[in-house]
């Protein structure tokens, strides 16, 4: 397989469930619409995605600092940002049999070829007549404090970005940075999407990995370009095949209320090209609005030149769940080995949930202890798993499906000559190496450059 055009999302969903990556939320109660829980390997994988993002955008740069803002923010934030008024999608309801609700722009695109195409649309489910569209605000509303009264209303943030803008002054004071510099944050966001779907692609609760990069206004186009290139490279360096990735510039009718230019990094998901990450030039929209609504000065004063200005903002905004899905889809491969089908996640070793599995083959005297010892040494340096249950074929299949790059088998020969067998997930090559060298050999291999192998 390997070509994501042939792969269906159902195969990914099935693998995620079978191997404990991702489950439907509240499954025992029948599930809750489009919310998902991450199981052990899903947590490890998504953590690795977030850690790689963090490493690339914070750890390896001098011009970025970190932030972790609260999910609940002062309600004025959303007035200032324009979300209360403008963060809406056009909702239509079926007036026929099924009464289902749809996003009008999506139905227009599907039935008439473009989001803004003129003409009649019908319910995609039962072909019934549709209501006139109404603007539906996507923010989840709740109440702060014991009484649900107006005035105590707060919102679950629909993007992490606003937490960064309202902290601009704090960061400027304490981080000793001057534009160009950026603030990075990973956190949950919530949107009451009208039509969530496609597994973890569009959910109502999701994690964002966002950067607000503050620049002198004249430098904004140049930084916008740089960030698009940097972010594209991040995905390909982590193994996404370049053919499955593209940049698409937004048309003027698509731009968000705050953006003067946005390009989407799109991935070829099984349901077609779809947004993976947006890279927007937000201009001075947000800082100006928050200054207006809060009465605080949100600008940069350059003491050397005497210049005072409101920085422009370049915003690379990625979804941790969407990125995780893209890495899973791109890695998924099925091949035939010795007449049997093998499903394997050819995921970048840096993202793999488990780096090495220790698989004892015989239970001769001294063997399990030796295998445990090796596992113990390995887990000090990398995530390592010990698996002694079932046939070796089954154990390999399990490790292949969770994308473990290396498996070590400990067998009768280990006691005799102190060697173990190291199996490579991608090439299936098996090498005997001294057990004493296992840790250094695994570290050496994991440190080597990796690129996605050719597909069967
Ligand atoms: N601050 C800008 C912003 O939030 P966005 O294009 O609405 O821009 C950025 O969202 C990224 O967040 C998207 O590219 C996607 O990866 C992720 N995202 C947005 N809505 C999502 C949803 N409902 N489910 C999962 N991920 C979502």
């Amino acid at each position: 397989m390997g070509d994501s055009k042939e792969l269906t999302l159902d195969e990914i969903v099935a693998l995620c469930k079978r191997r404990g990556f991702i489950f439907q939320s509240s499954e025992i109660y029948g599930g809750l619409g489009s919310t998902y829980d991450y199981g052990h390997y899903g947590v490890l994988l998504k953590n690795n995605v977030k850690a790689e993002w963090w490493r690339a955008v914070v750890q390896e740069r001098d011009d970025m600092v970190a932030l972790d803002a609260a999910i609940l923010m002062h309600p004025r934030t959303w007035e200032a940002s324009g979300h209360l008024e403008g963060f809406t999608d056009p909702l239509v309801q079926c007036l026929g049999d099924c009464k289902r609700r749809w996003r009008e722009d999506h139905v227009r695109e599907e039935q008439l070829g473009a989001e803004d195409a003129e003409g009649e649309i019908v319910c995609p489910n039962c072909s019934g007549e549709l209501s006139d569209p109404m603007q539906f605000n996507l923010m989840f509303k709740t109440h702060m404090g014991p009484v649900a009264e107006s005035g105590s209303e707060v919102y679950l943030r629909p993007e992490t970005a606003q937490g960064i803008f309202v902290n601009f002054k704090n960061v400027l004071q304490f981080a000793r940075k001057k534009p160009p510099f950026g603030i990075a944050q990973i956190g949950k966001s919530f949107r009451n999407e009208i039509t969530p779907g496609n597994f973890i692609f569009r959910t109502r609760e999701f994690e964002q990995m966002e950067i607000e990069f503050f620049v002198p206004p004249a430098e904004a186009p140049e930084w916008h370009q740089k960030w698009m290139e940097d972010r594209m490279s991040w995905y390909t360096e982590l193994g996404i095949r370049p053919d499955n990735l593209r940049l698409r510039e937004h048309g003027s009718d698509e731009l968000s209320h705050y953006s003067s230019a946005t390009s989407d990094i799109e991935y070829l998901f099984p349901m077609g090209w779809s947004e993976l990450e947006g890279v927007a030039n937000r201009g001075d929209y947000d800082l100006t609005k928050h200054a207006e609504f809060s009465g605080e000065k949100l600008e940069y004063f350059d003491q050397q030149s005497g210049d005072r200005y409101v920085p422009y903002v370049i915003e690379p905004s990625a979804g941790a769940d969407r990125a995780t899905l893209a890495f899973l889809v791109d890695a998924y491969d099925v091949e035939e080995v010795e007449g049997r089908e093998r499903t394997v996640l050819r995921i970048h070793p840096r993202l793999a949930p488990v780096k090495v599995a220790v698989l004892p083959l015989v239970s001769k005297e001294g063997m399990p202890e030796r295998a445990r010892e090796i596992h113990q040494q390995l887990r000090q340096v990398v995530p390592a798993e010990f698996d002694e249950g079932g046939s070796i074929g089954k154990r390999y299949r399990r490790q292949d499906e969770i994308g473990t790059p290396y498996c070590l088998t400990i067998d009768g020969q280990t006691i005799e000559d102190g060697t173990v067998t190291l199996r490579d997930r991608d090439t299936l090559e098996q090498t005997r190496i001294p057990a004493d060298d296992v840790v250094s050999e695994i570290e050496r291999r994991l440190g080597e450059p990796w690129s996605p192998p050719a597909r069967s």
Side-chain angles (χ1 to χ4, degrees), residues 34 83 87 158-162 165 189-193 196-197 199-212 235 250 256 258 262 264-265 275-280 282 315-323:
S34 287
H83 281 82
F87 196 55
E159 59 172 12
T160 65
Q162 298 304 324
F165 296 127
S189 292
F190 302 82
R191 294 182 191 176
N192 201 358
E193 301 277 2
F199 194 34
I200 53 169
F201 177 82
R202 182 174 283 111
T203 50
R204 295 192 168 105
E205 173 180 346
F206 54 96
E207 247 179 317
Q208 289 187 304
M209 309 186 288
E210 295 205 291
I211 297 165
E212 307 303 326
Y235 290 103
H250 278 205
S256 311
Y258 50 73
T262 297
D264 283 345
I265 297 177
E275 176 187 343
L276 186 53
E277 168 165 352
V279 187
R282 293 179 81 125
E315 179 194 62
S317 171
D321 310 272
R322 251 182 226 187

Side-chain angles (χ1 to χ4, degrees), residues 53-54 57-58 63-74 77-78 81 83 157-173 175 181-189 208-215 227 282 286-288 290-291 297-299 311-318:
W53 184 87
W54 200 254
V57 309
V58 180
D63 54 4
M64 294 283 300
V65 293
L67 184 75
D68 187 2
I71 288 172
L72 298 176
M73 300 181 68
H74 195 288
T77 307
W78 309 112
S81 68
H83 281 82
R157 67 181 176 198
E159 59 172 12
T160 65
Q162 298 304 324
I164 297 182
F165 296 127
V166 302
N167 275 292
F168 173 73
K169 207 173 158 186
N170 284 335
V171 174
L172 208 55
Q173 261 169 7
F181 83 98
I183 304 177
Q185 155 159 257
I186 298 179
K188 286 256 170 139
S189 292
Q208 289 187 304
M209 309 186 288
E210 295 205 291
I211 297 165
E212 307 303 326
F213 199 78
F214 301 93
V215 300
W227 272 111
R282 293 179 81 125
D286 303 271
L287 290 182
T288 306
H290 285 301
K297 272 196 179 139
L298 299 178
E299 55 190 21
Y312 273 29
V313 172
I314 306 302
E315 179 194 62
S317 171

Side-chain angles (χ1 to χ4, degrees), residues 110 149 161 214-215 287 299 305 327 372 397:
E110 260 170 45
E149 58 193 4
F214 301 93
V215 300
L287 290 182
E299 55 190 21
S305 67
F327 286 120
R372 289 266 177 211
R397 267 205 297 288

